[in-house]
Amino acid sequence: MASLGDISGNTGLNSKPTGRRASLSEGQLKTIDQAILSSLWFPVMMEREEAIHEVHTKTYEWVFCNPGVSQKPWDNLSEFLRGDSRTYWITGKAGSGKSTLVKCILENKRTRKQLA
């Protein structure tokens, strides 16, 4: 079996295999994907998510709006959710609300609707 370091090409979970990844069996791909996910796990992961405060209903409504209309400097989240890209980068200073924003996005009904 190939090691994680030997695999080139697209390694996104549930993505169409490319490069050396295309020559691996479905079982090998699942094993590798699980190894990657396991390496990201940490003991208090769920506690961290549960510690993120709930937000007011309309606090992050702007994230689902078209930033081009209001000339905002971020990429359109709705287009990203409907598209093929695998990464939407969120940056900010410590304590600026990145985790709260992500929790809001994950829990919003529009996210699942746009992913469908």
Side-chain angles (χ1 to χ4, degrees), residues 13-114:
L13 300 176
N14 300 320
S15 63
K16 186 175 181 180
T18 60
R20 291 193 54 191
R21 190 171 161 88
S23 65
L24 298 174
S25 72
E26 188 67 31
Q28 289 172 318
L29 291 173
K30 285 184 180 182
T31 300
I32 292 167
D33 286 348
Q34 188 58 48
I36 292 169
L37 289 175
S38 295
S39 74
L40 298 172
W41 181 86
F42 56 96
V44 292
M45 190 162 72
M46 298 311 291
E47 292 174 28
R48 170 67 182 110
E49 182 179 347
E50 292 169 6
I52 300 169
H53 297 288
E54 296 297 320
V55 297
H56 184 273
T57 308
K58 298 190 181 209
T59 301
Y60 288 111
E61 287 294 309
W62 56 266
V63 77
F64 291 100
C65 297
N66 183 345
V69 172
S70 55
Q71 298 180 349
K72 299 296 182 189
W74 56 81
D75 292 328
N76 189 317
L77 177 66
S78 296
E79 285 180 9
F80 164 76
L81 293 171
R82 292 188 302 266
D84 294 330
S85 181
R86 305 281 304 162
T87 306
Y88 188 87
W89 196 264
I90 297 175
T91 62
K93 295 179 181 179
S96 63
K98 298 177 299 295
S99 296
T100 307
L101 172 62
V102 171
K103 183 176 180 178
C104 178
I105 291 168
L106 290 173
E107 293 177 351
N108 194 294
K109 293 176 187 176
R110 288 177 281 189
T111 302
R112 285 196 176 87
K113 183 178 177 182
Q114 292 175 9

